[in-house]
Each structure stands twice: as structure tokens, then as C-alpha cells.
């Protein structure tokens, strides 16, 4: 009965944000809006549209509270249609959102990469994966409206020769399997989206009040200049003269137009600031067709959030219920497709076999420079070196600390390879991530869950070593901690476990390699140095590790092992290392697609 009196509490209406975007559910725009609404604590009603213009119309007509359009991609560049449509209408931009575009090749269950002949995706996304597409034979790339539609249509066609490039969320949503991942031309592939509402918006959209701190805002403009010497220079000098920083500049030719070039410019700051008023006045005098898209919040993309967003997608409940115990949401993604983890210019996994060499500990400038030179000239593609050493005894050498970091970085630069070093505590994570290309989690810290979460929040690849009393599933659970924080770039490392056997330092469990290859998509390396701890057994174990399917090796090397300050019994000499590389060249890389 609706017999309410004044004293009865009136339930607050649940806030639902109707948001327009191009495409259908499962598209990247849909995921961005979902995450955005989630962060604001409102529920979200998606309104998919066929074109960018239709998105704007939905907002202006009041059918949607807000709209979202992409304007930039790190690989493909400015998405001019987004800027053009935003400039054409009177809109109120609210915020920019930067999103990690972690593309997957998705096929119907039972399909294989080799059998794919046609790939659907958004044209910008196809451009972002150009290098991957170029590696495929007899495949036609077909541009479609958006990635969600691509995934949906491939699922509906149920044709094993068809695949879509879309997010892992789209794959789960439409019941597709991953045939390849990490397929963008560069892993740091981000798109920038602009969220906007109608001017004088009412209802839910009216809640989005612009920030008053102009320092974290950005303003977008589109203008044309006359085709004459110095025209662009005059426009741009207006910004500098008024203390405004231009953060983006792009141009396009306007066919058939009197003013031939349109420029897309983003400037740090808010249009309501005094310096902007002066700049705009001056700009009007030197431009033709000046369109101010507007000012918006530019704080929504801190680097760590950009990565986390990827995992928000991965953690969507899968279509089929997950097992109740030991929920493997991220580490057990289709093991038939081994991940490629990029460390600088090095790829680990998926058909690549890499050798990382270097001393147990960085001891001196001479030692690390000489070792870097020796291992890379023999073919190592990365340099290792501990600066914080987890030693069994507190009286043993503990590493050079940050001073060693500078030496390791210098050596890496000198030979042009990425570096990896162990991070032991949470408070070292931030500085270490800015100094090394890959973070190592040592065996003794494999179950330091807070440390795992901390490295999971960084954008650095992680080398996760198996704990000495850890089962294979314990290792995968530890990886799950890192991945579930948003960092997908984990390489596992078998480094020997404690058994009753005392003839070797540890028991190098090479049988974990085939097991892991069956259970996870993550690449796996082997560290025979800590595995056996005895120099003369290391080279044959390296060969065995490669033969059984490891994606790489981590090997300790020292210019003069007998004088090494840590792990001197197991360090290879430079000539041992040369011999090891020569012997490894005789061992074929195990085909990743054979289970
Ligand atoms: C190391 O690689 O230097 C190291 C200490 O290894 P682990 O954590 O495997 O003992
Ligand atoms: Mn060591």
C-alpha cells in the first residue's frame, strides 16, 4: 500500500546512469563506463550506439545522461572522428579516462590460431595489432563497428576459421577462447576516452560537478589556420606566452577547405582560468574555425589504475561457474596460448627462449661491467644482479643496496640490455620499479603476500621464484596474487626445492615445467644455479631445462667465482658461460603449442 505519511522514510531512488557509447556490451567503451560508474558508486545502464555521432545525439536528446568517445590511442594516434564530433556540437566534457587496451585474439571453442582466415575488429584496434596480423598467413582483417560486435558475431557464426580481436572480457561474455594474447604492437597500449554530458544537464548527470582545482584539468581545442608561412607558429606561441602547456598537437588536411589544416590541441588547465581567457582572445585573432571542446578532469588515469583496469575485466565472473575452492581466475588462462611478457625489448614466452646472466650480487663497478659485457657478448639478453640479498645468515654479505642499483643500471645501459633485481620489501618496490626493467621476487618471499600485492600494483614485469617449500599450486597461487592486482606480466621461475637430498643445494624440479605448461599461460624460467648449487652440474641442467620446455634460464656468472661475496660455489666463469650458450644452441626450443 502506498499509504505513506510525512514521517515515513522515503527510499532514495537508486541512481542509474544511462551512458551512451559506440558499440555493444563487451566493447572497450562499455568496460570503461562500467568501471567509471562503479567508482562513482552508481549503477549503469548501457546505451550502445552505431556511430560516434549517434552517441552525441543520445546525450543531447536526453536519452543518455552521459556519453563516451575515444579520442586517442597510443599506437594508432589521434582518433580524429572523436575530436571532430565533440567539436561539432555544444557539449560539456567531464573527464578523460585512459584505458589499457589489452587485446586478445578470440576464436570459437575448438578453433586454432593456424586455422583462422578472417579476423573482425574495430579498425583502430586492427591498426594497433598490425605487427601481429602481419605474422599470420592467408588471413583477412575485417573492420567492424566495435570489438564487442566483433566478438558477438564471431561467437554467433561458430566458424572455426573466424576470430575477433577484443578484450578478454568480451571473450568471456560471448564464450570465446583465447588464441593469442599480448598482441598489440606495444604492451603499453592505452586509449584515451572523453566522457561528456549535455550542457545544462539535469538528472544524474547534473551531479558531476567540475573540480575547482584547475591544476588537474585539461582543455581540448580544434582549430584551422590559413595556409601561409608562420600561421601555426603564431597560434602555438599564444599558449606559451600565457603560461599554458600544450600536451598534444596533431593535424589533418581538410580536403577542399579554404583553411587547409585542422589542428587538434590539448592544453593543461581549465578554460575558466584568467590565463586561458587571454590566450583564447589572442587565438581568435590568429585562427580560423576555433572550436573549444571544453575543459575536463584529467586525474582519472594514474599509471597504476590504468593497469588495474585490465584485471577488472579479467575478474568478471566467467560464464561457467568457477570451482569453489582455489579460484584460479587469472593464472590459468588457456595454457595453449603462452603469454608473451615483454621486458624492455626482450620477449619472454611463446616461442622465445631467453638467457639472463649475471652475478648473484652486484659487488663493484668493475665486476658488474665485466660480467655484463661477457654474458651479453655470449648471447644473454638480460642482466641480473642482486643488490638486496636475502642471506640465511645476518653476518653474510647483504648486498650493496641502492649504491649497487646505480652500478647495475649503468652496466645494463652499457651493454644495452634490460636488468632484473630482487625486491625484498614493500618499501623498496617504488624505487626499484623505477630503476629496473623487471622485479624479482625471491624464493624466500614467494608467499609474502603483501609484497606480491605491492608488485602487482606496479607496471613492471615480475620474475616470481618458486619458494623452496612451495608446491606448484602454491607458486600459481602466488602468481594469482600479482595478476589479481592488475599486473599480468609474471614469469615463473623454478629454482629448486628442499627435499631430503643433500648431494645438491636444492632439488631442481624440472618436472614442474611440463606441469606448469599444462596449468598456466605464464612463461616459466629455470634457475639451475640455485637449483643445484654446484658449478659443474649447471650446464647440463640448462640443456635439460630448455629441452623440457622452459622459456628461459637465469644463470649466475662471476669474473672470478672463488672470490664472489655470495654463492661462489655455483657461479659460472665467463668461459663456462660461453660453453653453456654454445651447448644450448644445439637444443631445439620446445614448440609452445605442443602441450
Ligand atoms: C637470487 O636469484 O639471487 C636468489 C636469491 O634466488 P632465490 O630467491 O631463488 O634463492
Ligand atoms: Mn644467488
Amino acid at each position: 500500500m502506498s499509504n505513506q505519511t510525512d514521517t515515513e522514510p522515503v527510499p532514495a531512488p537508486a541512481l542509474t546512469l544511462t551512458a551512451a557509447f559506440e558499440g555493444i556490451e563487451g566493447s572497450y567503451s562499455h568496460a570503461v563506463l562500467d568501471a567509471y560508474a562503479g567508482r562513482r558508486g552508481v549503477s549503469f545502464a548501457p546505451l550502445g550506439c552505431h556511430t560516434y555521432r549517434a552517441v552525441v545525439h543520445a546525450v543531447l536528446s536526453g536519452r543518455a545522461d552521459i556519453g563516451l568517445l575515444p579520442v586517442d590511442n597510443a599506437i594508432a594516434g589521434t582518433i580524429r572522428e572523436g575530436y571532430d564530433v565533440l567539436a561539432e556540437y555544444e557539449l560539456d566534457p567531464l573527464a578523460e579516462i585512459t584505458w589499457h587496451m589489452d587485446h586478445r585474439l578470440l576464436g570459437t571453442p575448438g578453433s586454432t590460431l593456424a586455422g583462422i582466415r578472417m579476423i573482425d575488429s574495430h579498425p583502430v584496434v586492427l591498426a594497433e595489432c598490425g605487427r601481429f596480423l602481419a605474422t599470420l598467413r592467408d588471413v583477412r582483417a575485417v573492420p567492424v563497428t566495435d570489438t564487442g560486435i566483433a566478438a558477438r558475431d564471431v561467437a554467433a557464426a561458430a566458424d572455426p576459421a573466424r576470430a575477433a580481436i577484443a578484450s578478454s572480457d568480451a571473450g568471456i561474455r560471448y564464450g570465446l577462447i583465447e588464441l593469442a594474447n599480448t598482441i598489440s604492437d606495444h604492451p603499453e597500449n592505452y586509449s584515451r576516452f572523453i566522457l561528456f554530458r549535455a550542457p545544462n544537464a539535469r538528472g544524474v548527470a547534473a551531479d558531476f560537478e567540475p573540480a575547482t582545482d584547475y591544476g588537474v584539468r585539461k582543455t581540448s581545442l580544434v582549430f584551422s589556420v590559413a595556409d601561409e608561412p608562420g600561421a601555426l607558429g603564431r597560434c602555438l606561441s599564444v599558449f606559451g606566452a600565457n603560461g599554458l602547456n600544450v600536451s598534444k598537437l596533431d593535424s589533418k588536411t581538410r580536403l577542399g577547405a579554404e583553411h587547409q589544416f585542422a589542428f587538434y590541441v590539448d592544453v593543461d588547465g581549465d578554460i575558466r582560468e584568467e590565463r586561458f581567457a587571454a590566450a583564447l582572445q589572442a587565438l581568435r585573432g590568429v585562427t580560423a574555425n576555433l572550436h573549444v571542446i571544453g575543459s575536463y578532469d584529467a586525474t582519472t588515469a594514474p599509471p597504476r589504475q590504468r593497469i588495474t583496469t585490465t584485471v577488472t575485466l579479467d575478474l568478471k565472473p566467467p560464464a561457467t561457474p568457477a570451482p569453489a575452492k582455489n579460484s584460479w581466475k587469472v593464472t590459468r588462462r588457456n595454457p595453449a596460448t603462452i603469454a608473451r611478457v615483454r621486458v624492455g625489448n626482450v620477449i619472454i614466452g611463446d616461442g622465445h627462449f631467453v638467457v639472463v646472466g649475471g652475478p648473484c650480487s652486484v659487488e663493484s663497478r668493475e665486476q658488474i661491467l665485466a660480467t655484463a659485457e661477457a654474458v651479453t657478448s655470449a648471447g644473454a639478453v638480460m642482466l641480473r644482479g642482486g643488490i638486496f640479498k636475502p642471506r640465511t645468515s645476518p653476518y653474510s654479505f647483504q648486498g650493496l643496496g641502492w649504491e649497487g642499483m646505480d652500478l647495475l643500471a649503468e652496466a645494463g645501459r652499457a651493454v644495452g640490455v634490460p636488468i632484473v633485481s630482487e625486491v625484498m620489501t614493500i618499501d623498496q618496490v617504488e624505487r626499484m620499479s623505477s630503476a629496473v626493467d623487471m622485479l624479482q621476487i625471491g624464493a624466500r618471499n614467494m608467499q609474502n603476500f603483501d609484497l606480491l600485492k605491492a608488485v602487482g600494483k606496479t607496471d613492471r614485469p615480475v620474475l616470481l621464484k618458486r619458494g623452496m617449500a612451495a608446491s606448484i599450486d602454491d607458486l600459481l597461487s602466488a602468481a594469482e596474487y600479482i595478476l589479481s592486482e592488475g599486473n599480468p606480466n609474471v614469469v615463473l621461475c623454478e629454482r629448486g626445492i628442499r627435499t631430503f637430498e643433500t648431494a645438491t643445494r636444492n632439488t631442481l624440479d624440472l618436472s614442474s615445467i611440463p606441469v606448469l605448461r599444462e596449468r598456466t599461460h605464464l612463461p616459466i624460467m629455470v634457475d639451475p644455479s640455485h637449483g643445484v648449487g654446484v658449478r659443474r652440474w649447471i650446464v647440463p641442467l640448462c640443456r635439460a631445462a630448455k629441452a623440457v620446455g622452459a622459456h628461459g634460464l637465469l644463470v649466475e656468472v662471476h669474473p672470478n667465482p672463488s672470490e664472489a661475496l655470495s654463492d661462489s660455489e655455483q657461479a659460472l666463469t665467463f668461459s663456462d658461460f660461453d660453453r653453456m650458450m654454445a651447448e644450448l644452441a644445439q637444443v631445439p626450443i620446445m614448440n609452445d603449442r605442443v602441450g
Side-chain angles (χ1 to χ4, degrees):
M1 279 197 39
S2 62
N3 208 3
Q4 280 182 351
T5 69
D6 284 352
T7 52
E8 277 182 324
V10 179
L15 279 185
T16 299
L17 192 65
T18 303
F21 61 100
E22 192 198 50
I24 61 167
E25 297 185 20
S27 69
Y28 284 99
S29 295
H30 178 258
V32 170
L33 286 166
D34 197 16
Y36 187 82
R39 275 206 301 278
R40 297 192 70 99
V42 293
S43 63
F44 153 59
L47 181 63
C49 303
H50 284 301
T51 61
Y52 288 3
R53 207 170 287 278
V55 174
V56 172
H57 287 168
V59 171
L60 289 177
S61 67
R63 280 184 296 126
D65 301 302
I66 55 170
L68 183 84
L69 287 177
V71 289
D72 248 318
N73 173 263
I75 295 170
T78 303
I79 301 168
R80 293 176 183 141
E81 196 189 342
Y83 269 94
D84 288 344
V85 171
L86 290 172
E88 192 179 320
Y89 296 86
E90 279 289 305
L91 296 166
D92 183 8
L94 294 163
E96 69 171 15
I97 302 173
T98 304
W99 193 261
H100 186 212
M101 306 295 277
D102 186 9
H103 302 312
R104 315 292 163 100
L105 184 72
L106 304 166
T108 50
S111 60
T112 61
L113 181 59
I116 298 302
R117 293 290 166 270
M118 190 170 137
I119 297 178
D120 288 9
S121 198
H122 190 282
V124 177
V125 172
L126 292 172
E128 292 162 35
C129 302
R131 281 193 211 152
F132 167 74
L133 291 171
T135 65
L136 306 178
R137 295 275 157 268
D138 305 323
V139 168
R140 193 156 55 95
V142 182
V144 297
T145 310
D146 93 294
T147 54
I149 290 177
R152 184 198 62 189
D153 289 356
V154 165
D159 175 354
R162 279 184 66 179
I165 298 180
S167 67
S168 93
D169 174 55
I172 292 167
R173 192 178 287 271
Y174 296 109
L176 299 174
I177 60 160
E178 280 184 21
L179 301 174
N181 57 26
T182 329
I183 58 175
S184 299
D185 283 1
H186 195 283
E188 303 281 306
N189 183 19
Y190 297 101
S191 277
R192 197 160 67 92
F193 295 80
I194 302 247
L195 188 76
F196 59 92
R197 64 180 174 185
N200 312 315
R202 286 193 298 274
V204 188
D207 288 354
F208 294 88
E209 276 317 314
T212 46
D213 175 0
Y214 300 151
V216 288
R217 290 174 69 79
K218 215 185 240 186
T219 300
S220 291
L221 316 162
V222 180
F223 59 76
S224 347
V225 298
D227 186 16
E228 61 184 40
L232 177 62
R234 280 195 292 281
C235 296
L236 292 183
S237 64
V238 163
F239 297 110
N242 288 285
L244 291 166
N245 180 49
V246 173
S247 58
K248 174 200 171 77
L249 172 65
D250 198 3
S251 68
K252 78 162 182 190
T253 313
R254 300 172 76 227
L255 292 173
E258 184 191 342
H259 300 289
Q260 288 189 347
F261 298 102
F263 291 94
Y264 303 83
V265 176
D266 289 349
V267 183
D268 294 341
D270 190 286
I271 196 112
R272 293 165 297 171
E273 293 175 69
E274 258 172 45
R275 56 191 181 145
F276 250 103
L280 284 183
Q281 199 178 11
L283 208 53
R284 286 209 169 85
V286 286
T287 54
N289 304 313
L290 170 66
H291 296 283
V292 180
I293 292 177
S295 305
Y296 45 87
D297 187 279
T299 55
T300 54
R304 98 148 207 70
Q305 174 236 321
R306 294 181 311 195
I307 299 281
T308 313
T309 52
T310 324
V311 163
T312 315
L313 297 179
D314 291 342
L315 290 178
K316 283 271 165 57
T320 45
K325 245 178 55 188
N326 258 0
S327 264
W328 304 97
K329 290 181 178 159
V330 275
T331 59
R332 299 205 176 202
R333 193 177 298 135
N334 185 7
T337 312
I338 303 288
R340 275 192 253 162
V341 172
R342 267 181 232 229
V343 186
N345 53 359
V346 172
I347 295 176
I348 306 177
D350 194 19
H352 298 260
F353 181 81
V354 299
V355 176
V356 181
C360 179
S361 311
V362 176
E363 297 169 4
S364 68
R365 185 163 183 271
E366 296 65 39
Q367 175 242 18
I368 189 68
L369 283 174
T371 311
E373 177 59 39
V375 297
T376 54
S377 40
V381 293
M382 273 179 68
L383 179 66
R384 62 151 286 149
I387 61 164
F388 296 109
K389 295 305 302 177
R391 304 306 299 281
T392 304
S393 161
Y395 311 115
S396 304
F397 175 60
Q398 303 283 309
L400 293 183
W402 294 118
E403 184 196 328
M405 186 72 260
D406 296 339
L407 300 176
L408 181 65
E410 182 189 346
R413 273 196 309 276
V415 293
V417 297
I419 54 176
V420 53
S421 197
E422 178 168 350
V423 59
M424 279 178 56
T425 62
I426 294 175
D427 61 357
Q428 291 164 355
V429 169
E430 194 178 341
R431 183 159 171 195
M432 195 66 121
S433 341
S434 62
V436 299
D437 303 283
M438 184 176 216
L439 297 165
Q440 178 171 321
I441 297 290
R444 292 156 192 80
N445 266 321
M446 190 206 82
Q447 285 186 317
N448 181 341
F449 300 118
D450 287 342
L451 182 63
L452 298 177
K453 286 188 202 162
V455 298
K457 291 186 174 97
T458 72
D459 58 3
R460 286 288 148 205
V462 177
L463 182 64
L464 176 64
K465 300 190 92 177
R466 179 175 177 184
M468 43 192 115
S471 69
I472 292 171
D473 275 353
D474 291 340
L475 173 61
L476 288 172
S477 290
E480 187 88 12
Y481 265 92
I482 302 172
L483 269 71
S484 66
E485 288 296 325
N487 186 346
N489 297 313
V490 172
V491 175
L492 307 172
C493 183
E494 166 60 50
R495 48 78 69 205
I497 47 174
R498 282 272 166 93
T499 65
F500 55 83
E501 183 55 76
T502 52
T504 49
R505 178 176 175 177
N506 289 291
T507 298
L508 184 65
D509 181 15
L510 287 182
S511 50
S512 68
I513 307 302
V515 176
L516 285 165
R517 286 175 59 117
E518 253 179 47
R519 294 194 184 176
T520 178
H521 66 292
L522 298 173
I524 309 132
M525 291 182 68
V526 170
D527 168 359
S529 307
H530 295 89
V532 281
V534 179
R535 183 163 27 259
R536 63 182 179 284
W537 296 325
I538 289 174
V539 177
L541 283 165
C542 286
R543 289 202 312 261
K546 186 174 180 189
V548 80
H551 299 103
L553 294 165
L554 184 72
V555 181
E556 290 188 345
V557 186
H558 195 281
N560 188 354
S562 60
E563 284 177 13
L565 299 179
S566 56
D567 288 350
S568 66
E569 303 297 307
Q570 66 195 38
L572 296 188
T573 63
F574 294 167
S575 65
D576 290 335
F577 190 80
D578 283 347
R579 181 166 59 88
M580 180 198 92
M581 293 303 284
E583 290 193 18
L584 279 174
Q586 308 301 316
V587 182
I589 298 178
M590 200 172 120
N591 181 355
D592 266 323
R593 304 201 192 283
V594 180

